[in-house]
Amino acid sequence: MAFQVDRRLVPEALRLMESVYGPLQADTFPRPMPAGEAGACANGQRRYLWTDAFGVINLVSLAAASESEQEAQGFMAAALKLVTTVHQSLGRPSSPTHPMKPLSRPPSDPNSLEFVGLRIGKVHTRTPTDYGMNYDGMYWHYIDKWLLALVRVGEPFLAAEVAQDVFPHFFDETHKGMRWKLSVDGTPAKGLSSTSPSDDNLTALITFSLIAFACHKKSPTCPPVLTPELAALRASLSAYRPRVTDDPLGWGLEALFDQWLAGRPRQRQLAALAPCALNPAHFSLPFRLYGALIGARISPDLADPSLTDRLVAKALNHQRVQDAHEFEEHSAINRVMLASALLAPGALGRLPDEPELAL
């Protein structure tokens, strides 16, 4: 795939990835995340869906930047191994006391899930989950990134299975919105059962469209996938207008998904908010700023490129300082997101033949 990667930044991105996952060719790959950053899984792993979604995409980007076919195959093998590990970890209950909803259909692939959806990977769990961010469950805004990762690693039919399984649980048939969080068993928490259309509907439409496109491209004779789900999402967005935020992570993700919207309807507003999103004050939570850097590197017309370059350099210096500390808060997500920013657009970028959706 013709992904654009600045090869000058590849060595630093690879160093960051291996500092989180360990050597990519080692039998111990992927190394479990720190105990304070991901909950224990039944198989002994500690995985976190958001971080690993970007991790898979980073490995695909590294494959695209490889100078030899052998090296590229090594990165893709690591990406697929990470997919398998995540499905064996977050695709299964963390313990018998917090069951997930089993699937009745037989698996079609070795990586097919046995239960509905993928857990967040939080340290603490309860059922039902909370309205906020303290307890494990399933986040739509994590699953949509995982679906994109599956498409990029060449598993669109697996992505279609996951999407089809989770959609009836996240989509509110009455009010036509996507629930942002579910309990691990697929049920909504108190206060989250009713929801109106939001940007979560929009990211669902985009990711499901990419899955359908990739499935057709991989196997043109297969029947279309996700047809009723796409119809429901399009209908839910008939009067919706995309929103814009100056939160750095939200801003970056809006720039990311705007690639697949015809005419890039948020471009002018995103450009106006770029100085707020790309502000060094956000180093207080580095991964959120790195989200903004991802957006700025995917869409360089949104911000002054010199500002983006200065922030990338400052981010690398900031991480080197953190490397010297015995403890680094949010170490895995910070490092993987910084690697994503260095490799962007990479596998986060829109391919020329991919659809542009009209709203």
Side-chain angles (χ1 to χ4, degrees), residues 87 91 100-109 111-118 138 140 143 146-147 150 156-171 178-179 182-187 208 211 225-226 228-229:
H87 280 206
M100 297 172 70
K101 183 177 180 179
L103 291 166
S104 57
R105 58 165 172 75
S108 63
D109 182 275
N111 278 327
S112 290
L113 296 176
E114 301 171 22
F115 299 89
V116 172
L118 293 136
M138 292 188 277
W140 171 250
I143 287 180
W146 186 250
L147 295 175
L150 291 177
F157 287 101
L158 184 57
E161 277 188 2
V162 176
Q164 191 172 43
D165 292 340
V166 301
F167 183 76
H169 301 274
F170 277 101
F171 188 69
M178 292 289 289
R179 300 179 178 100
L182 300 174
S183 297
V184 295
D185 62 0
T187 58
F208 285 20
I211 292 167
V225 301
L226 300 174
E229 293 84 359

Side-chain angles (χ1 to χ4, degrees), residues 45-179:
Q45 267 286 349
R46 290 183 182 271
R47 309 267 28 109
Y48 197 72
L49 189 60
W50 174 284
T51 306
D52 285 335
F54 281 93
V56 169
I57 291 169
N58 289 349
L59 291 167
V60 176
S61 297
L62 288 167
S66 297
E67 296 182 353
S68 72
E69 184 62 28
Q70 182 178 4
E71 186 181 46
Q73 289 175 356
F75 285 124
M76 292 302 290
L80 288 168
K81 188 175 181 182
L82 183 53
V83 168
T84 298
T85 305
V86 168
H87 280 206
Q88 291 174 348
S89 306
L90 300 179
R92 296 174 181 173
S94 58
S95 73
T97 56
H98 299 289
M100 297 172 70
K101 183 177 180 179
L103 291 166
S104 57
R105 58 165 172 75
S108 63
D109 182 275
N111 278 327
S112 290
L113 296 176
E114 301 171 22
F115 299 89
V116 172
L118 293 136
R119 297 184 295 106
I120 300 163
K122 295 278 188 184
V123 174
H124 302 293
T125 307
R126 79 176 192 194
T127 305
T129 191
D130 61 329
Y131 183 88
M133 297 181 287
N134 292 324
Y135 292 97
D136 204 17
M138 292 188 277
Y139 283 153
W140 171 250
H141 64 289
Y142 283 25
I143 287 180
D144 66 356
K145 311 303 181 298
W146 186 250
L147 295 175
L148 178 59
L150 291 177
V151 169
R152 289 306 191 228
V153 81
E155 294 287 350
F157 287 101
L158 184 57
E161 277 188 2
V162 176
Q164 191 172 43
D165 292 340
V166 301
F167 183 76
H169 301 274
F170 277 101
F171 188 69
D172 177 1
E173 284 285 356
T174 302
H175 300 93
K176 309 303 180 185
M178 292 289 289
R179 300 179 178 100

Side-chain angles (χ1 to χ4, degrees), residues 8 70 186 239 263 310 333 335 354:
R8 296 171 299 176
Q70 182 178 4
R310 288 196 302 272
I333 192 171
R335 294 174 186 215
E354 287 180 335

Side-chain angles (χ1 to χ4, degrees), residues 284-296:
S284 58
L285 276 175
F287 68 88
R288 300 192 72 82
L289 178 59
Y290 302 158
L293 285 175
I294 290 169

Side-chain angles (χ1 to χ4, degrees), residues 293-356:
L293 285 175
I294 290 169
R297 287 176 62 78
I298 286 173
S299 299
D301 54 341
L302 295 179
D304 181 353
S306 65
L307 170 61
T308 304
D309 291 343
R310 288 196 302 272
L311 276 177
V312 167
K314 190 166 185 175
L316 290 170
N317 288 332
H318 178 85
Q319 187 56 54
R320 292 186 189 105
V321 171
Q322 296 302 311
D323 290 346
H325 293 169
E326 187 174 338
F327 172 75
E328 177 189 350
E329 189 176 20
H330 307 304
S331 64
I333 192 171
N334 284 343
R335 294 174 186 215
V336 171
M337 291 289 286
L338 178 54
S340 295
L342 299 179
L343 296 168
L348 289 168
R350 176 182 171 270
L351 291 170
D353 62 340
E354 287 180 335
E356 284 188 306

